Each structure stands twice: as C-alpha cells, then as structure tokens.
Amino acid sequence: GSGKVLSSHHLATMVFAELNSSSDVVLSSFPARMRNFGFDIRKAVEQLNFNPGDLSESIREYVSQKKTAFEKGKGSEKN
C-alpha cells in the first residue's frame, strides 16, 4: 500500500490511462462496502524504512508486465 487514500474510480482511471484505453470508468449503482481505502503504513516507514514509491510508476510497471505475459501466452494457445 502507498499509505494514501485513493478512490477506486481514481485508481481505475490511472490504469485505463496507462493502457491507453478509450473506455469510460463506469461506477456501479450499488454502494461500496468501503468508500475510499488506504493502509496506515507509518509503522513500516518508521521501523523498516519502507518507501512505497510512486503509484503511477508502479501501475506502469504492472501493466507492462501483464502486457508482456499476455503476448507470450498468445503464442502458446491451443487451437
């Protein structure tokens, strides 16, 4: 966790942007169990020198890894 409160809408928007998706983020009509969520990482920062890094960069790396895995998997599909 980054220790920052972030809405699922904002997170989805960041992922869509990284994927260069033209899709819209569509919110559910059902109320969420938790509106916004964030971990309290103070103890990890203080005791372990934890540095969560930049969320945008983490999303970029994650998307890149998933794209690579997807491309590798396409050649191994059984027809």
Side-chain angles (χ1 to χ4, degrees):
S2 66
K4 297 179 182 175
V5 175
L6 185 68
S7 72
S8 54
H9 181 269
H10 185 71
L11 180 59
T13 300
M14 292 173 72
V15 172
F16 279 32
E18 191 56 42
L19 291 169
N20 296 316
S21 174
S22 60
S23 299
D24 294 325
V25 176
V26 179
L27 300 177
S28 171
S29 60
F30 297 102
R33 284 186 253 172
M34 285 193 244
R35 296 187 61 83
N36 296 329
F37 182 76
F39 288 105
D40 181 355
I41 64 169
R42 289 178 293 188
K43 190 172 183 180
V45 170
E46 292 167 5
Q47 295 182 1
L48 303 173
N49 256 352
F50 176 69
N51 180 359
D54 180 62
L55 181 59
S56 296
E57 182 60 30
S58 296
I59 290 172
R60 191 172 301 114
E61 290 174 18
Y62 179 77
V63 167
S64 176
Q65 290 171 2
K66 290 299 179 183
K67 282 182 178 178
T68 300
F70 177 76
E71 290 300 320
K72 285 182 180 178
K74 284 175 71 173
S76 64
E77 291 177 359
K78 295 180 181 179
N79 293 330

